[in-house]
Amino acid sequence: MDDERLAKIEQEKQNAINNSTNTYNQLINENQDLYNKQLEYANKYEQTQNDILNQQLAENQRLIEQQKEEARKNKAAEERKALNDYEAYNNPYGYQAEARASSGLLNSGISETAKLGSFNTYQNRLATANKVMQDAITQYDNDMNKARLENNAAMAQNALNRLQLELEYATNYYSGRKDLTLGQMNYNQGLNDTYFNRYQTEYGNIQKEREAEEAIRQYNEKMAYQRERDKVADQQWAKEYALAQQKANASSINGSGSNGEFELNENNGGETVITPTNTTNTSTNTTTISKVMSLNPAALSTEKARTFFKGLKTSYNQNTLVQLLYNAYQNATINDNDIKTILKVYNLK
């Protein structure tokens, strides 16, 4: 149905849905932006924690390397001490040689055995110093591996923490998106229902209006047809009445043979009219009628009919009154009921 009111409702519905879609799209985009920022935060969080761990590992490595270097220095110092003691014991000019010489043991077998013992002591001290250093380095290497493992474990924990954050953010994101999407669907469905009801109501009103207009058109058409039939019937009645009056007037003339003052003819349009006769006998037109009763003008159909009646005289030649009534009828000043009412006033039925 083409109607601007229905088109207006459709346009308002489309505008409302567009506004709803734009609003929900903005909320969905904001939800997406929040999710992206949360993922970025989770990545930065992991990176920051890993950077801290790497810094701690680097510091531990520095300390361990420092301790390893210290162990090497201690080994070298112990080697120098052992060498110094060995050389001092075996220096022929040193304190130990003088002590052995004074005791008579300088070149004895005991002295040679002592020299051999000092060499063994020197070698043992070298071996001990080397073992201490190797044990320390081994321990430091173990500590380094442990630090790396702990660092890796901590990094793995950071990765797990990031994953947990991402899972939490993803859950919230998809939950929010689902709620927004369902909200948009439900809201738009509500808009469709609301405007559908408005459309149906307006459609029903328009249908009733058109049905009423059609009923009025049919009624007016019927009344116009009825008025045409009434007009034809009134014209026929006026024709028959005029003929009857003409015959009555003719019979009332004293042998003159005249048809009276008026006669019934047809004009060029085929309508029946009353026209004066050509008779020269005026004595035949002396029938006079007068009002025999009063009339309330309100009994007539229209103001024009009431004005016409007020203009009538008390007495008339019968044919003159008939001519006046007929002319007024032809001019639609009075109708057939008005004619009958006025004739009763003049005692003509």
Side-chain angles (χ1 to χ4, degrees), residues 131-265:
K131 184 176 185 305
V132 169
M133 184 198 72
Q134 290 299 327
D135 290 344
I137 289 177
T138 299
Q139 182 62 43
Y140 296 150
D141 288 339
N142 291 337
D143 291 343
M144 180 66 74
N145 292 332
K146 181 179 179 182
R148 290 194 182 98
L149 290 174
E150 289 177 350
N151 188 71
N152 292 337
M155 285 187 174
Q157 183 62 47
N158 289 338
L160 178 61
N161 292 340
R162 176 180 61 81
L163 178 61
Q164 289 175 338
L165 285 176
E166 289 180 350
L167 291 175
E168 179 183 352
Y169 296 152
T171 300
N172 294 336
Y173 165 72
Y174 287 108
S175 177
R177 187 179 181 87
K178 178 196 70 175
D179 292 342
L180 288 171
T181 303
L182 291 177
Q184 182 180 18
M185 292 174 57
N186 292 333
Y187 188 77
N188 286 352
Q189 184 61 47
L191 288 176
N192 279 322
D193 293 343
T194 297
Y195 283 96
F196 176 79
N197 292 335
R198 284 184 58 187
Y199 185 95
Q200 290 298 105
T201 300
E202 195 64 35
Y203 183 89
N205 292 337
I206 294 172
Q207 284 289 88
K208 291 178 182 178
E209 288 178 3
R210 295 190 175 184
E211 290 172 359
E213 291 172 356
E214 178 61 20
I216 292 172
R217 187 195 65 78
Q218 293 181 3
Y219 174 79
N220 290 337
E221 185 179 79
K222 180 179 179 181
M223 293 305 297
Y225 175 75
Q226 187 62 42
R227 283 194 294 271
E228 287 297 322
R229 289 182 59 85
D230 291 344
K231 182 178 180 180
V232 172
D234 291 342
Q235 289 175 348
Q236 184 64 30
W237 175 86
K239 178 179 178 181
E240 291 175 357
Y241 181 80
L243 285 173
Q245 291 298 317
Q246 193 174 39
K247 290 179 181 180
N249 291 337
S251 64
S252 65
I253 298 175
N254 296 323
S256 64
S258 173
N259 286 333
E261 189 173 272
F262 294 92
E263 62 182 2
L264 192 64
N265 293 300

Side-chain angles (χ1 to χ4, degrees), residues 29 97 349:
N29 290 336
K349 300 181 181 179

Side-chain angles (χ1 to χ4, degrees), residues 56-66 144 147-148:
Q56 291 175 344
L57 177 62
E59 178 64 15
N60 289 336
Q61 288 176 329
R62 187 187 68 80
L63 294 175
I64 290 173
E65 288 297 333
Q66 184 179 9
M144 180 66 74
R148 290 194 182 98

Side-chain angles (χ1 to χ4, degrees), residues 305-336:
R306 290 188 282 273
T307 301
F308 169 77
F309 176 76
K310 292 177 182 179
L312 293 178
K313 299 178 182 179
T314 303
S315 298
Y316 278 104
N317 175 278
Q318 180 173 311
N319 286 347
T320 301
L321 178 60
V322 170
Q323 184 66 60
L324 288 173
L325 293 176
Y326 186 72
N327 290 341
Y329 176 80
Q330 290 291 90
N331 294 331
T333 301
I334 59 177
N335 60 25
D336 56 322

